[in-house]
Amino acid sequence: MAVETHVLDDDCATITGWGRTAPTLARVRRPRGPSEAADAVRSSGARGAIARGLGRAYGDAAQNAGGTVLDMTGLDRILALDPTAGIVVCEAGVGLHRLTEALLPLGWVVPVTPAIRYVTVGGAIGADVHGTNHPASGSFGRHVTALELLTADGTVRTLAPGTPLFDATTGGMGLTGVILTATLRLLPVETSLMTVDTERAPGLDETMARLAAADRRYGHSVARIDLLARGAATGRAVLTHGDHTPYDALPRRHRARRAPLALRPALLPAPPPYVPGRILGRTAAGLLEELRYRGTPRARTGDLQPLTAVLHPHDGVPRYRNRTPARAWSVPRAGSVPYQFVVPYGQEEVLRKVVRLIADRRCAAPGAVLQRFGAGGPGPLSFPLPGWTLALDLPAALPGLGAFLDALDEQVAEAGGRVFLARDSRVRPETLAAMYPRLGEFRALRAALDPRSAFTSDLSRRLDL
């Protein structure tokens, strides 16, 4: 359908990703509906426009130096809900935290979420985000049954799964157009709790073996891996496995029986004011990882924990700086360089080598997680493929970091793996082409759909997307 033109208020702002590296200046426009979004795109000029949600893309995917950035958080309405069928229709600027607050009391949750709920639906589709249940549930786009997309010609198209434009949009990093609304298929739950088993693995091989075994037993599994441990302890980890708790499994006198679907956010206390932002250097990070590992029982089963604590551990960190989640415990003031890759099953030796290289560099990378992926999505730029994925953050000021990560990229690409574009801020274009074999297909679709590159970002320029 065609859209009409409206005038918008706008201002210039310096914008960065969540890793706080490579800030750029752009004009920010805040559409309140499809017509205003279309006007912003039409008037964006030679530098084009890109949509932005709650700013949790770690790198430069939602930046546009010298161009326009569309702040989509004004399109944040839940438009329709079928509580019987478990279907919700919402605008793209709705955050997953708001959906959780609205849907959980009715016995529904979004089936796939990343480690933080403070991302928008549009962002989750554009990055085709994954959760700790990927082997069983796939990535976010698998649960989208329809979406409305504003394309470069100023029309709004309704897209269905399995069509080329829909598939390219899931994982397309906002470069096919502006997602306006989405229809999501939900997951039924009986309580707001999860039943969690925790265990320790003394080294990487044992960590991998236990994660593989968990695929058959649990819906959610993840390993928090110590990347400072060396020798026989290289790759040691604390593993967490969980499933949604049915009502009948609640202990007889458990308080959740009175309000089984109440949202129970898990919050960590704020660090005291005298704690410096650079507390987690290598020595402190090593101590923290040692305490975490030693403080976890060898095996613990049947813990009842709020689903927010299990599925969204980053939400527990106090938030500072205009509601941006604080990362003072893990991110130096100079910023961090996030890095996430996946290598296919059968390439475990490459994963072992990468973990050893990181451990030998003595990089302070607290919060690193290892998990398994199931079948990949249909999008040409969708990140997951069947294999092992490791996610970590490295200090931006680490000497020789760029060359080190370039070398890791080459090994990942040679193994048939890839990096996650939503966490990337520095991969080379030639390396990306080796990682994403359908990149040419994506570029051809964009050239036909958007020949003037109305939708552009710092990431798309850097990688020639």
Side-chain angles (χ1 to χ4, degrees), residues 212-234:
D215 282 354
R216 301 185 292 272
R217 298 181 53 199
Y218 303 95
H220 295 260
S221 285
V222 67
R224 179 150 186 174
I225 186 169
D226 181 358
L227 292 177
L228 284 170
R230 293 188 292 178
T234 300

PDB file of all heavy atoms in Angstrom, residues 212-234:
ATOM      1  N   ALA A 212      26.539 -31.355  24.095  1.00  0.00           N
ATOM      2  CA  ALA A 212      25.945 -32.231  23.095  1.00  0.00           C
ATOM      3  C   ALA A 212      24.906 -33.161  23.725  1.00  0.00           C
ATOM      4  O   ALA A 212      23.819 -33.374  23.163  1.00  0.00           O
ATOM      5  CB  ALA A 212      27.038 -33.041  22.396  1.00  0.00           C
ATOM      6  N   ALA A 213      25.216 -33.702  24.884  1.00  0.00           N
ATOM      7  CA  ALA A 213      24.264 -34.579  25.563  1.00  0.00           C
ATOM      8  C   ALA A 213      23.014 -33.818  26.000  1.00  0.00           C
ATOM      9  O   ALA A 213      21.910 -34.372  26.036  1.00  0.00           O
ATOM     10  CB  ALA A 213      24.935 -35.237  26.766  1.00  0.00           C
ATOM     11  N   ALA A 214      23.185 -32.525  26.321  1.00  0.00           N
ATOM     12  CA  ALA A 214      22.053 -31.729  26.810  1.00  0.00           C
ATOM     13  C   ALA A 214      21.004 -31.500  25.737  1.00  0.00           C
ATOM     14  O   ALA A 214      19.832 -31.267  26.052  1.00  0.00           O
ATOM     15  CB  ALA A 214      22.556 -30.387  27.339  1.00  0.00           C
ATOM     16  N   ASP A 215      21.397 -31.546  24.451  1.00  0.00           N
ATOM     17  CA  ASP A 215      20.419 -31.350  23.371  1.00  0.00           C
ATOM     18  C   ASP A 215      19.256 -32.332  23.485  1.00  0.00           C
ATOM     19  O   ASP A 215      18.125 -32.013  23.098  1.00  0.00           O
ATOM     20  CB  ASP A 215      21.091 -31.538  22.006  1.00  0.00           C
ATOM     21  CG  ASP A 215      21.899 -30.324  21.587  1.00  0.00           C
ATOM     22  OD1 ASP A 215      21.848 -29.298  22.300  1.00  0.00           O
ATOM     23  OD2 ASP A 215      22.587 -30.408  20.550  1.00  0.00           O
ATOM     24  N   ARG A 216      19.512 -33.515  23.993  1.00  0.00           N
ATOM     25  CA  ARG A 216      18.486 -34.559  24.072  1.00  0.00           C
ATOM     26  C   ARG A 216      17.654 -34.460  25.331  1.00  0.00           C
ATOM     27  O   ARG A 216      16.629 -35.139  25.448  1.00  0.00           O
ATOM     28  CB  ARG A 216      19.139 -35.940  23.995  1.00  0.00           C
ATOM     29  CG  ARG A 216      19.940 -36.176  22.713  1.00  0.00           C
ATOM     30  CD  ARG A 216      20.460 -37.594  22.634  1.00  0.00           C
ATOM     31  NE  ARG A 216      21.476 -37.858  23.653  1.00  0.00           N
ATOM     32  CZ  ARG A 216      22.781 -37.624  23.474  1.00  0.00           C
ATOM     33  NH1 ARG A 216      23.219 -37.111  22.329  1.00  0.00           N
ATOM     34  NH2 ARG A 216      23.649 -37.893  24.423  1.00  0.00           N
ATOM     35  N   ARG A 217      18.083 -33.633  26.290  1.00  0.00           N
ATOM     36  CA  ARG A 217      17.416 -33.619  27.592  1.00  0.00           C
ATOM     37  C   ARG A 217      16.744 -32.301  27.937  1.00  0.00           C
ATOM     38  O   ARG A 217      15.794 -32.286  28.728  1.00  0.00           O
ATOM     39  CB  ARG A 217      18.428 -33.946  28.699  1.00  0.00           C
ATOM     40  CG  ARG A 217      19.056 -35.319  28.595  1.00  0.00           C
ATOM     41  CD  ARG A 217      20.028 -35.546  29.745  1.00  0.00           C
ATOM     42  NE  ARG A 217      19.411 -35.299  31.041  1.00  0.00           N
ATOM     43  CZ  ARG A 217      20.093 -35.064  32.161  1.00  0.00           C
ATOM     44  NH1 ARG A 217      21.418 -35.000  32.139  1.00  0.00           N
ATOM     45  NH2 ARG A 217      19.450 -34.862  33.295  1.00  0.00           N
ATOM     46  N   TYR A 218      17.245 -31.204  27.380  1.00  0.00           N
ATOM     47  CA  TYR A 218      16.779 -29.884  27.805  1.00  0.00           C
ATOM     48  C   TYR A 218      16.393 -29.033  26.599  1.00  0.00           C
ATOM     49  O   TYR A 218      16.902 -29.223  25.503  1.00  0.00           O
ATOM     50  CB  TYR A 218      17.874 -29.145  28.586  1.00  0.00           C
ATOM     51  CG  TYR A 218      18.399 -29.865  29.796  1.00  0.00           C
ATOM     52  CD1 TYR A 218      19.547 -30.651  29.718  1.00  0.00           C
ATOM     53  CD2 TYR A 218      17.762 -29.747  31.027  1.00  0.00           C
ATOM     54  CE1 TYR A 218      20.047 -31.301  30.839  1.00  0.00           C
ATOM     55  CE2 TYR A 218      18.259 -30.390  32.152  1.00  0.00           C
ATOM     56  CZ  TYR A 218      19.399 -31.165  32.049  1.00  0.00           C
ATOM     57  OH  TYR A 218      19.891 -31.804  33.154  1.00  0.00           O
ATOM     58  N   GLY A 219      15.529 -28.046  26.868  1.00  0.00           N
ATOM     59  CA  GLY A 219      15.207 -27.072  25.839  1.00  0.00           C
ATOM     60  C   GLY A 219      16.256 -25.991  25.713  1.00  0.00           C
ATOM     61  O   GLY A 219      16.511 -25.475  24.623  1.00  0.00           O
ATOM     62  N   HIS A 220      16.883 -25.616  26.838  1.00  0.00           N
ATOM     63  CA  HIS A 220      17.862 -24.534  26.874  1.00  0.00           C
ATOM     64  C   HIS A 220      19.167 -25.046  27.482  1.00  0.00           C
ATOM     65  O   HIS A 220      19.141 -25.703  28.527  1.00  0.00           O
ATOM     66  CB  HIS A 220      17.352 -23.363  27.723  1.00  0.00           C
ATOM     67  CG  HIS A 220      16.141 -22.687  27.169  1.00  0.00           C
ATOM     68  ND1 HIS A 220      16.212 -21.503  26.470  1.00  0.00           N
ATOM     69  CD2 HIS A 220      14.833 -23.022  27.212  1.00  0.00           C
ATOM     70  CE1 HIS A 220      14.988 -21.143  26.115  1.00  0.00           C
ATOM     71  NE2 HIS A 220      14.141 -22.044  26.546  1.00  0.00           N
ATOM     72  N   SER A 221      20.279 -24.710  26.843  1.00  0.00           N
ATOM     73  CA  SER A 221      21.594 -25.068  27.382  1.00  0.00           C
ATOM     74  C   SER A 221      22.622 -24.047  26.938  1.00  0.00           C
ATOM     75  O   SER A 221      22.626 -23.612  25.780  1.00  0.00           O
ATOM     76  CB  SER A 221      22.029 -26.460  26.906  1.00  0.00           C
ATOM     77  OG  SER A 221      21.334 -27.476  27.580  1.00  0.00           O
ATOM     78  N   VAL A 222      23.530 -23.705  27.853  1.00  0.00           N
ATOM     79  CA  VAL A 222      24.605 -22.774  27.535  1.00  0.00           C
ATOM     80  C   VAL A 222      25.745 -23.031  28.506  1.00  0.00           C
ATOM     81  O   VAL A 222      25.530 -23.465  29.644  1.00  0.00           O
ATOM     82  CB  VAL A 222      24.113 -21.312  27.630  1.00  0.00           C
ATOM     83  CG1 VAL A 222      23.786 -20.929  29.058  1.00  0.00           C
ATOM     84  CG2 VAL A 222      25.123 -20.342  27.029  1.00  0.00           C
ATOM     85  N   ALA A 223      26.960 -22.787  28.037  1.00  0.00           N
ATOM     86  CA  ALA A 223      28.136 -22.933  28.890  1.00  0.00           C
ATOM     87  C   ALA A 223      28.827 -21.591  29.026  1.00  0.00           C
ATOM     88  O   ALA A 223      29.162 -20.954  28.014  1.00  0.00           O
ATOM     89  CB  ALA A 223      29.108 -23.957  28.296  1.00  0.00           C
ATOM     90  N   ARG A 224      29.024 -21.158  30.256  1.00  0.00           N
ATOM     91  CA  ARG A 224      29.814 -19.952  30.497  1.00  0.00           C
ATOM     92  C   ARG A 224      31.261 -20.398  30.644  1.00  0.00           C
ATOM     93  O   ARG A 224      31.613 -21.073  31.607  1.00  0.00           O
ATOM     94  CB  ARG A 224      29.326 -19.224  31.739  1.00  0.00           C
ATOM     95  CG  ARG A 224      30.132 -17.977  32.025  1.00  0.00           C
ATOM     96  CD  ARG A 224      29.330 -16.918  32.708  1.00  0.00           C
ATOM     97  NE  ARG A 224      30.101 -15.694  32.846  1.00  0.00           N
ATOM     98  CZ  ARG A 224      29.613 -14.574  33.308  1.00  0.00           C
ATOM     99  NH1 ARG A 224      28.346 -14.526  33.665  1.00  0.00           N
ATOM    100  NH2 ARG A 224      30.354 -13.499  33.409  1.00  0.00           N
ATOM    101  N   ILE A 225      32.071 -20.029  29.677  1.00  0.00           N
ATOM    102  CA  ILE A 225      33.393 -20.616  29.526  1.00  0.00           C
ATOM    103  C   ILE A 225      34.477 -19.662  30.024  1.00  0.00           C
ATOM    104  O   ILE A 225      34.395 -18.447  29.811  1.00  0.00           O
ATOM    105  CB  ILE A 225      33.611 -21.019  28.043  1.00  0.00           C
ATOM    106  CG1 ILE A 225      34.907 -21.772  27.848  1.00  0.00           C
ATOM    107  CG2 ILE A 225      33.524 -19.824  27.127  1.00  0.00           C
ATOM    108  CD1 ILE A 225      35.012 -22.413  26.469  1.00  0.00           C
ATOM    109  N   ASP A 226      35.451 -20.212  30.719  1.00  0.00           N
ATOM    110  CA  ASP A 226      36.564 -19.434  31.264  1.00  0.00           C
ATOM    111  C   ASP A 226      37.669 -19.377  30.224  1.00  0.00           C
ATOM    112  O   ASP A 226      38.392 -20.357  30.013  1.00  0.00           O
ATOM    113  CB  ASP A 226      37.054 -20.100  32.555  1.00  0.00           C
ATOM    114  CG  ASP A 226      38.200 -19.344  33.211  1.00  0.00           C
ATOM    115  OD1 ASP A 226      38.640 -18.313  32.645  1.00  0.00           O
ATOM    116  OD2 ASP A 226      38.665 -19.781  34.281  1.00  0.00           O
ATOM    117  N   LEU A 227      37.844 -18.240  29.585  1.00  0.00           N
ATOM    118  CA  LEU A 227      38.839 -18.098  28.521  1.00  0.00           C
ATOM    119  C   LEU A 227      40.200 -17.640  29.038  1.00  0.00           C
ATOM    120  O   LEU A 227      41.104 -17.361  28.249  1.00  0.00           O
ATOM    121  CB  LEU A 227      38.334 -17.127  27.454  1.00  0.00           C
ATOM    122  CG  LEU A 227      37.144 -17.644  26.632  1.00  0.00           C
ATOM    123  CD1 LEU A 227      36.668 -16.589  25.652  1.00  0.00           C
ATOM    124  CD2 LEU A 227      37.509 -18.924  25.897  1.00  0.00           C
ATOM    125  N   LEU A 228      40.342 -17.567  30.365  1.00  0.00           N
ATOM    126  CA  LEU A 228      41.649 -17.292  30.943  1.00  0.00           C
ATOM    127  C   LEU A 228      42.323 -18.556  31.453  1.00  0.00           C
ATOM    128  O   LEU A 228      43.530 -18.565  31.707  1.00  0.00           O
ATOM    129  CB  LEU A 228      41.525 -16.268  32.082  1.00  0.00           C
ATOM    130  CG  LEU A 228      41.321 -14.810  31.643  1.00  0.00           C
ATOM    131  CD1 LEU A 228      40.968 -13.941  32.833  1.00  0.00           C
ATOM    132  CD2 LEU A 228      42.568 -14.278  30.949  1.00  0.00           C
ATOM    133  N   ALA A 229      41.567 -19.630  31.621  1.00  0.00           N
ATOM    134  CA  ALA A 229      42.134 -20.886  32.103  1.00  0.00           C
ATOM    135  C   ALA A 229      43.021 -21.503  31.028  1.00  0.00           C
ATOM    136  O   ALA A 229      42.702 -21.452  29.836  1.00  0.00           O
ATOM    137  CB  ALA A 229      41.021 -21.846  32.498  1.00  0.00           C
ATOM    138  N   ARG A 230      44.133 -22.101  31.458  1.00  0.00           N
ATOM    139  CA  ARG A 230      45.060 -22.702  30.508  1.00  0.00           C
ATOM    140  C   ARG A 230      45.427 -24.114  30.951  1.00  0.00           C
ATOM    141  O   ARG A 230      44.973 -24.592  31.978  1.00  0.00           O
ATOM    142  CB  ARG A 230      46.319 -21.833  30.373  1.00  0.00           C
ATOM    143  CG  ARG A 230      46.052 -20.487  29.713  1.00  0.00           C
ATOM    144  CD  ARG A 230      47.337 -19.730  29.423  1.00  0.00           C
ATOM    145  NE  ARG A 230      48.006 -19.293  30.639  1.00  0.00           N
ATOM    146  CZ  ARG A 230      49.168 -18.651  30.670  1.00  0.00           C
ATOM    147  NH1 ARG A 230      49.793 -18.369  29.531  1.00  0.00           N
ATOM    148  NH2 ARG A 230      49.724 -18.279  31.809  1.00  0.00           N
ATOM    149  N   GLY A 231      46.245 -24.757  30.123  1.00  0.00           N
ATOM    150  CA  GLY A 231      46.652 -26.115  30.435  1.00  0.00           C
ATOM    151  C   GLY A 231      45.482 -27.075  30.362  1.00  0.00           C
ATOM    152  O   GLY A 231      44.615 -26.968  29.496  1.00  0.00           O
ATOM    153  N   ALA A 232      45.440 -28.014  31.309  1.00  0.00           N
ATOM    154  CA  ALA A 232      44.359 -28.993  31.320  1.00  0.00           C
ATOM    155  C   ALA A 232      43.003 -28.346  31.561  1.00  0.00           C
ATOM    156  O   ALA A 232      41.965 -28.919  31.216  1.00  0.00           O
ATOM    157  CB  ALA A 232      44.629 -30.051  32.393  1.00  0.00           C
ATOM    158  N   ALA A 233      42.991 -27.139  32.162  1.00  0.00           N
ATOM    159  CA  ALA A 233      41.724 -26.458  32.469  1.00  0.00           C
ATOM    160  C   ALA A 233      41.226 -25.582  31.326  1.00  0.00           C
ATOM    161  O   ALA A 233      40.171 -24.952  31.454  1.00  0.00           O
ATOM    162  CB  ALA A 233      41.884 -25.606  33.723  1.00  0.00           C
ATOM    163  N   THR A 234      41.946 -25.554  30.195  1.00  0.00           N
ATOM    164  CA  THR A 234      41.515 -24.722  29.070  1.00  0.00           C
ATOM    165  C   THR A 234      40.081 -25.079  28.663  1.00  0.00           C
ATOM    166  O   THR A 234      39.764 -26.243  28.430  1.00  0.00           O
ATOM    167  CB  THR A 234      42.445 -24.924  27.856  1.00  0.00           C
ATOM    168  OG1 THR A 234      43.775 -24.557  28.219  1.00  0.00           O
ATOM    169  CG2 THR A 234      41.986 -24.075  26.679  1.00  0.00           C
TER     170      THR A 234
END
